[in-house]
Amino acid sequence: MEQQVIQLLQGTISSVESTRKNAELQITQSFSNPAFPLTLLAVAQHANVETYLRQAALVTLKNYIVATWSPTDEDFKGTVFLDDATKAQVRNTVLAICLGTDEQDDTKIKRSANACASKIASSDFPSQWPDLLPTLMRLISDTSSTNSQVHGALRLLVELVESGFSEDQFFAVARDLVSGLYNVATNNDRKPITRALAMSVFRSCFDTLEMVMEEHKLAVKAFLDEALQAWMPFFLETMKLDLPQAPSEEDESKEGGIPSFWRGLIALKLQVVKALYKIRYIFPTVLTPHSTLLFSAVWEELSRVQPIYQSMFIDEERQGRLEDSDNLPYTLDFLVLEELDFMTAFLRAPPVRSELEGQLKQSPGGPHTTNWLQEVLKLVISYAQISTEEEGLWDIDVNLFLSEETSVTANYTPRTASADLVIKGLGEWLKVLPVEALLVALRTWFANQDAGWKAREAGLFVLNQLLRDLESYGTKVAFPTIKGFLELVDPSLQSPDAFLRARAYLLAGSLTSTVEEQNFEPTLLHYLSLAANAVRSDPSELVQVACIRALQDYLREEANKESSTPLKEIQPQIIAALSEYVAAHDLRELADSDDLKVTLIETLRDVVNVNVPIILDGPAIDLLFTIASHGATNFHVSMVVTETFESIVDSLAQLGHDKYSIFCAKVIPSLTGAFDVGNLIQESALTNLAADLVAALAQGGPEPLPDGFVAAIMPKLNRVFLEASEAELVRPATLAVKYMLSHGHIQFFQWSDPVSRKGAVEVLLIIIDRLLSGNVDDSAASEVGGLAVELVEKAGSERLGPFLPQLLTAVAQRLALATMAQFIQSLCLVFTRLCLNSATDVVDFLSQVNINGENGLSVVLARWLENSVNFAGYDEIRQNVIALSKLYSLQDPRLSQIQVKGDLIIQDSGRIKTRSRAKLDPDQYSIIPANLKILKILVDELHSANTSSFTDDQAGLAAAVNGESDGSDDGDDWEDMPGSGLDLGTGLTKQQLMGLDGEGSEAAQRSRGRDSETADYLTNWFRETSQTSGFAELYSQLNEEEKGKLQAISG
């Protein structure tokens, strides 16, 4: 049978599809044969069989285990073919392959066997495989075990620790496990890479400890204290070990000898640092007594390996960021990266800070000249140098340079870690002092004739990043310090090296935006002019792009001042420079350069905002449209284009009707032309963007709209509604029509479609009818309610005539079928707005509507009341509250006869309700009269309206964003590490996160103001309504929580 299986395995990798599929089918059919898995194992163990076939046998066995081993597996196919005895034989054989003594056996074979053992263990350990862990523990504790056996055992232990142990199982074996791992990690006779794997397993233990720490804090601390007594000397000893002579580039990847030892020792050191960092994250107090020793050790290590790193990655181009088959990183750049982060973290340790602060106070030349601070900065700058790999990539693709510069890349390198060390380790602690210390350090670097451009650029880079961080907190730097840096910037602007010139322009922008001197405008304009000229004249595209980015800093700083007359004078020069840059490049060839496009648009936005009317003359708007047309497929580009366009529209509308009219005449031909570019049946990113811009143009427009506005735009939008169904196109098109109707209804109703000759009202009814039909999904039609409301309110019954009841009936019928929350709210809004003026008419009308055999009032109220809790937008919520209150105040007996969903019926089964269980046992609700449901909704809205817009957690996050703190102890950052970062459980939306600072804070305050209006309205309404007949009876049916909310306002 072995030969037959080998032939089938060969067939599975055949290039002939029929042969491959036939072999796969026969293998699947062989699953029912109890001898099949044993035959696969026999093939896998056969030394004379080709390695790829042995590996294929084990991969097939893994698939067999997944499909047939245990009903608890997610991919179980329904039948177990093996009895317990055969399963035991399979387990033992698989384990024997994993723990084989042959050092030369192919790693791929053992890894494939390890995958099989892990799948079996996930089902059988510990109940069916109780001897697995004792076997592994015995192997790693036995000094006579071979490296191959120990390595195989450690691979399986990784799986068990990460996913196989329950809490009780882990604590039962934790001490023995840690002791065994310690024996391997500290055994100098073992290969360094095996010792590194033992450290990796040890580090994985802390993931389990982290999960149980809250419930067993004292036990976890005691365990860590005990473990660290043995491990700490080993940690320090390993960190202090010197690396051997680095292998040459040709020998670096060879097995055995110095290359293997080099890789293994780096991996071991790296795992030690990772383990310490993990301990510090979970329970920092256990490391506090050792923090100064650890900080010194990692500082010394980074100092020792810097020349090696310089040689390998700054001067040469060695391959970095490499991991072995066990996912253990083993290249020097990884080690440097971890140690820089480690140093950043331990700069927060109270003993470290106390020691360093003492030296700062004793420095005779002032704190900024303190020896340790200068040495740290020297070290950081040396690691912040551009690597040879980065130099080559950025020189070829400036978009990569921009992505690094704007911190949108996921590529975290020693260069970025160095900047983080200065920002988080020094800047957040010492504030402006590191800036002053950097001036001393950089003067030394620039005075050294042997310092190359990379070292100088690195110093300016670190300063640039630090200044940007300080600027985000509103921290300013004294003019003498800024002046000292500019003395270093000026010669760098003349450097023959493009990277240093680019950095100098970027730094000058940051310097001018952080200086506290008020009379700095001439200097700012000087550097702004230099940057604008460099965009046009510098021979390096890298420098040109850097200047485009730097212009944003200059422009934002100057635009913040009351008078920006000098900037207005230079504004045309900047726009011309941007236009020339775009004209000189074929944006179609920059398909992957979205960061460059975003930078161009953001810079254009900032320069236009200096004096918005400039958009009416010159190339600015054409430049915006050119970039937009080539970047519409990118969400970020489209978003920035839309925001820029909205800002322009709002500014011009505030300047008067004439300015806005001129702007419309300039942009409408281009916008409407985009609708002719593609087939509206198929999605077109450019057409979608054009629709967004048309909506923004109509939304921000004055009343009335300029003559001809509707006639120029409606034919194109009408075609959209007749042909398109894509949500990203139909939704903004609907908004555009709504805003045109809102801001220019007289002009709108005078318009008629030039093709069909239909009047405006008829065209709108056709559009609404299509959006309400089943041919358009909920997402695309989600704004139709707002359009319908505008039509009803602006046209009135005199224009709509008999079509008004038909329109409202169609809305009610579509509401009965809608599933998307935003769409349901949009449709409910129609009846909400009508109820504000005539609730009685709405009730009477809906009572006469038949929706699939049900009363229309019952259907609409059920959907309306069930989904009110999900309504969004303060205006919409307030309108909904008032409408519901008016419905209740009718005291119409028809409302009390309608039964709707009430409160959720809590079913405490003691089990987590998964999605599958929820399908079998859906949530149950009480059934209550509609008027009682309205009362419950209004009580909840009253409570929400009386509560701050931010929860305590959100307020805490806002404070964190603004740099506030609950305490003054510098050690808080060290002790409270597990609680740092965003808590995704707070339920913050993207809009709330964006509104925690800056302009968003004003928006939040306005929202709270509108919320107060709702609270006042409801408070008065409840006080009046509580005196009416029937209220006491309904009040008695409220739950205790709801009664308490009402009682809170009774006084």
Side-chain angles (χ1 to χ4, degrees), residues 470-762:
L470 292 175
E471 183 187 6
S472 68
Y473 290 103
T475 304
K476 296 296 184 180
V477 180
F479 173 73
T481 304
I482 296 294
K483 185 174 181 293
F485 286 126
L486 289 175
E487 291 172 356
L488 304 177
V489 165
D490 289 337
S492 300
L493 293 175
Q494 309 302 320
S495 170
D497 184 83
F499 286 96
L500 183 53
R501 290 202 308 280
R503 177 58 52 199
Y505 280 112
L506 289 164
L507 176 59
S510 294
L511 290 170
T512 56
S513 60
T514 53
V515 64
E516 64 182 7
E517 179 74 21
Q518 295 300 313
N519 299 318
F520 199 67
E521 186 174 69
T523 304
L524 184 150
L525 292 173
H526 166 69
Y527 286 103
L528 189 153
S529 181
L530 289 178
N533 288 332
V535 173
R536 312 172 83 166
S537 61
D538 197 282
S540 168
E541 185 179 0
L542 183 88
V543 176
Q544 295 172 14
V545 168
C547 289
I548 292 172
R549 171 61 185 85
L551 284 171
Q552 296 176 23
D553 294 321
Y554 300 119
L555 292 166
R556 281 199 291 266
E557 177 62 20
E558 187 64 14
N560 290 334
K561 299 178 180 178
E562 294 182 2
S563 174
S564 56
T565 301
L567 194 55
K568 291 179 182 178
E569 296 174 358
I570 202 174
Q571 189 183 23
Q573 176 190 344
I574 300 173
I575 294 175
L578 296 176
S579 297
E580 289 179 19
Y581 179 87
V582 172
H585 295 79
D586 188 349
L587 294 185
R588 291 173 297 183
E589 297 179 358
L590 301 176
D592 298 325
S593 299
D594 291 324
D595 292 308
L596 174 57
K597 294 170 188 173
V598 169
T599 300
L600 283 166
I601 295 171
E602 289 177 338
T603 305
L604 178 62
R605 173 198 62 199
D606 292 341
V607 69
V608 167
N609 284 340
V610 171
N611 179 32
V612 175
I614 198 173
I615 204 79
L616 304 177
D617 301 303
I621 193 64
D622 295 330
L623 180 58
L624 177 66
F625 285 166
T626 298
I627 302 171
S629 65
H630 292 92
T633 55
N634 179 270
F635 171 76
H636 193 189
V637 173
S638 298
M639 181 180 70
V640 177
V641 168
T642 304
E643 290 176 352
T644 302
F645 191 82
E646 289 174 348
S647 175
I648 293 170
V649 170
D650 291 343
S651 298
L652 291 176
Q654 292 175 11
L655 292 175
H657 198 278
D658 291 343
K659 299 286 187 186
Y660 178 83
S661 299
I662 296 171
F663 182 69
C664 289
K666 191 175 182 68
V667 301
I668 286 178
S670 298
L671 292 176
T672 54
F675 291 98
D676 298 325
V677 171
N679 185 347
L680 294 182
I681 298 176
Q682 299 175 345
E683 182 178 5
S684 168
L686 181 59
T687 308
N688 296 348
L689 178 58
D692 283 325
L693 300 185
V694 168
L697 186 65
Q699 181 181 15
E703 295 184 23
L705 293 172
D707 292 340
F709 190 100
V710 175
I713 292 177
M714 265 310 295
K716 303 296 183 181
L717 295 182
N718 194 30
R719 179 176 165 233
V720 169
F721 293 115
L722 293 176
E723 300 179 17
S725 59
E726 173 60 38
E728 298 302 320
L729 175 58
V730 175
R731 191 166 51 241
T734 308
L735 286 171
V737 177
K738 182 184 81 169
Y739 293 133
M740 282 192 289
L741 193 56
S742 174
H743 294 168
H745 66 279
I746 296 176
Q747 180 186 157
F748 204 115
F749 291 136
Q750 292 173 348
W751 170 81
S752 62
D753 181 34
V755 177
S756 65
R757 304 296 181 186
K758 292 183 172 66
V761 173
E762 187 176 358

Side-chain angles (χ1 to χ4, degrees), residues 430-445:
L430 302 174
K431 309 307 179 188
V432 180
L433 180 60
V435 178
E436 298 168 351
L438 269 169
L439 180 57
V440 176
L442 289 179
R443 280 173 171 166
T444 303
W445 280 93

Side-chain angles (χ1 to χ4, degrees), residues 259-546:
S260 288
F261 184 77
W262 164 267
R263 295 193 299 270
L265 186 55
I266 289 177
L268 176 60
K269 283 173 167 285
L270 201 149
Q271 290 304 317
V272 166
V273 174
K274 279 179 172 286
L276 285 166
Y277 202 86
K278 185 69 176 180
I279 295 170
R280 185 255 171 179
Y281 180 85
I282 296 175
F283 223 127
T285 53
V286 302
L287 288 183
T288 300
H290 312 281
S291 57
T292 53
L293 287 175
L294 291 170
F295 179 77
S296 298
V298 76
W299 187 353
E300 293 169 2
E301 167 89 332
L302 284 169
S303 300
R304 286 196 307 271
V305 302
Q306 195 283 322
I308 307 174
Y309 178 85
Q310 173 89 23
S311 174
M312 297 180 73
F313 296 98
I314 308 301
D315 300 334
E316 301 177 21
E317 188 177 357
R318 297 289 186 94
Q319 190 170 4
R321 308 185 73 82
L322 297 178
E323 297 179 348
D324 69 2
S325 57
D326 295 311
N327 300 319
L328 295 178
Y330 63 83
T331 48
L332 184 60
D333 59 323
F334 267 138
L335 176 61
V336 166
L337 189 63
E338 289 293 335
E339 291 186 336
L340 285 170
D341 283 346
F342 184 91
M343 192 171 176
T344 301
F346 275 70
L347 273 167
R348 296 175 175 175
V352 173
R353 284 195 173 180
S354 177
E355 171 67 23
L356 297 179
E357 282 175 346
Q359 296 182 34
L360 287 174
K361 294 175 182 177
Q362 297 171 6
S363 177
H368 60 289
T369 64
T370 305
N371 183 62
W372 75 260
L373 183 55
Q374 289 298 317
E375 288 298 318
V376 167
L377 292 176
K378 178 182 177 182
L379 183 69
V380 164
I381 291 172
S382 67
Y383 280 115
Q385 295 179 87
I386 299 174
S387 70
T388 304
E389 180 186 22
E390 290 169 329
E391 181 184 357
L393 291 173
W394 295 349
D395 198 37
I396 295 172
D397 188 352
V398 295
N399 197 67
L400 293 176
F401 169 76
L402 267 181
S403 65
E404 294 281 349
E405 192 60 34
T406 53
S407 301
V408 298
T409 177
N411 189 24
Y412 190 62
T413 65
R415 176 177 169 89
T416 47
S418 298
D420 279 354
L421 190 153
V422 175
I423 292 170
K424 298 176 182 178
L426 299 177
E428 293 180 2
W429 167 32
L430 302 174
K431 309 307 179 188
V432 180
L433 180 60
V435 178
E436 298 168 351
L438 269 169
L439 180 57
V440 176
L442 289 179
R443 280 173 171 166
T444 303
W445 280 93
F446 274 73
N448 183 2
Q449 298 300 320
D450 295 330
W453 68 264
K454 284 190 176 183
R456 297 181 179 184
E457 192 279 340
L460 299 185
F461 164 77
V462 170
L463 173 62
N464 201 171
Q465 299 301 104
L466 178 57
L467 289 176
R468 285 183 180 172
D469 184 71
L470 292 175
E471 183 187 6
S472 68
Y473 290 103
T475 304
K476 296 296 184 180
V477 180
F479 173 73
T481 304
I482 296 294
K483 185 174 181 293
F485 286 126
L486 289 175
E487 291 172 356
L488 304 177
V489 165
D490 289 337
S492 300
L493 293 175
Q494 309 302 320
S495 170
D497 184 83
F499 286 96
L500 183 53
R501 290 202 308 280
R503 177 58 52 199
Y505 280 112
L506 289 164
L507 176 59
S510 294
L511 290 170
T512 56
S513 60
T514 53
V515 64
E516 64 182 7
E517 179 74 21
Q518 295 300 313
N519 299 318
F520 199 67
E521 186 174 69
T523 304
L524 184 150
L525 292 173
H526 166 69
Y527 286 103
L528 189 153
S529 181
L530 289 178
N533 288 332
V535 173
R536 312 172 83 166
S537 61
D538 197 282
S540 168
E541 185 179 0
L542 183 88
V543 176
Q544 295 172 14
V545 168

